[in-house]
Amino acid sequence: MTTPSEITRAGRTIDPAALAAWSASFLADQPVDVRDAILADSRTVTFPAGTLIDTGQDYRVCLVHHGRIAAKVVSSAGREVTTRYLSAGQISAVPAMLTHGSPSQLEAIADTEVSLLNPTTFRGLMRTRPELTYAVAVYLAESTYEAVLLLEHNLFRSVQQRVSRHLLEMASPTTDGLVVQTDQAALANAIGSVREVVARALQKLSDAGAIRRSRRQIWIEDPTLLRTIAAGRDRRSAAEREAPVAD
């Protein structure tokens, strides 16, 4: 038996997973009729890890139920860098929906289930519902600030700091802890570097006890330490930092 919130005016049942993801999104406070109108015109799709979801011009607006998506910018020479990661409750391609395309691509980096939202329905509601339009405007403003911080991180931080940040954002929780399903080449692509440089950074993180490597898996052993490294902070005491180094 379905509850009233699972039925739209047209009588279509909304996937409970879509309702849960919506409640975790930046649209959570929207009126029920706005939510139901958008979700009733969506469909649930699963993308296996490694699937290219869109190419930017052929964009897809995805409300993520579970899994993880990487947004990437790819150069004409084939080099790429990951600009952000999307997980449960986040919505992809919002700018692309308004500009009918974007310079980035979306790839599932874990098995991912989403609601594919209809951009025509979404845009139509934005023309008549100011509360929805304002929520999208705030989201786009916050995304701009995030992009500036990411640019600062990629331009001025060390490879080790960049690797640490990406590992934290790529990690998925399991019963055994946080794990990242990736290898050195994929991680190098994500941060816009090369495999040899990333291999050295991973070795340093492993030596510090922050991570443990196992084939195509990287286990995060000490998330707090990894966050400290990503932020560029030194956890040693002032006395330890100022102590002379023995010859």
Side-chain angles (χ1 to χ4, degrees), residues 3-197:
T3 65
S5 64
E6 294 174 320
I7 299 294
T8 70
R9 292 186 300 271
R12 287 188 56 185
T13 302
I14 298 174
D15 187 340
L19 291 170
W22 181 278
S23 296
S25 76
F26 75 91
L27 298 173
D29 293 332
Q30 292 301 300
V32 171
D33 64 315
V34 170
R35 180 200 68 187
D36 289 354
I38 292 174
L39 294 184
D41 202 14
S42 69
R43 58 192 178 93
T44 299
V45 178
T46 299
F47 297 107
T51 302
L52 185 63
I53 297 174
D54 74 36
T55 60
Q57 296 307 309
D58 181 24
Y59 65 91
R60 288 177 169 176
V61 184
C62 302
L63 170 62
V64 182
H65 299 179
H66 60 76
R68 201 166 299 272
I69 295 172
K72 303 179 177 183
V73 176
V74 182
S75 73
S76 57
R79 292 194 64 181
E80 63 182 53
V81 63
T82 297
T83 57
R84 64 181 304 211
Y85 296 94
L86 300 159
S87 55
Q90 293 182 292
I91 301 176
S92 72
V94 175
M97 175 181 67
L98 300 176
T99 60
H100 302 281
S102 77
S104 62
Q105 299 181 354
L106 297 178
E107 180 182 341
I109 59 173
D111 293 344
T112 302
E113 182 183 273
V114 305
S115 286
L116 286 183
L117 308 183
N118 186 327
T120 301
T121 299
F122 204 124
R123 287 192 297 263
L125 283 165
M126 287 182 64
R127 294 188 181 96
T128 59
R129 303 300 294 263
E131 65 271 42
L132 176 61
T133 304
Y134 182 75
V136 171
V138 170
Y139 168 78
L140 293 175
E142 291 174 345
S143 297
T144 300
Y145 298 147
E146 290 176 6
V148 171
L149 291 174
L150 175 65
L151 181 63
E152 181 271 336
H153 202 276
N154 285 341
L155 286 176
F156 305 126
R157 301 299 176 94
S158 68
V159 170
Q160 192 171 6
Q161 289 173 314
R162 287 151 57 196
V163 167
S164 298
R165 183 183 69 82
H166 279 264
L167 288 176
L168 287 166
E169 294 197 29
M170 295 169 71
S172 299
T174 71
T175 54
D176 296 321
L178 292 172
V179 65
V180 180
Q181 304 284 354
T182 191
D183 57 20
Q184 293 175 4
L187 191 54
N189 285 337
I191 71 167
S193 185
V194 295
R195 189 179 64 81
E196 294 77 11
V197 175

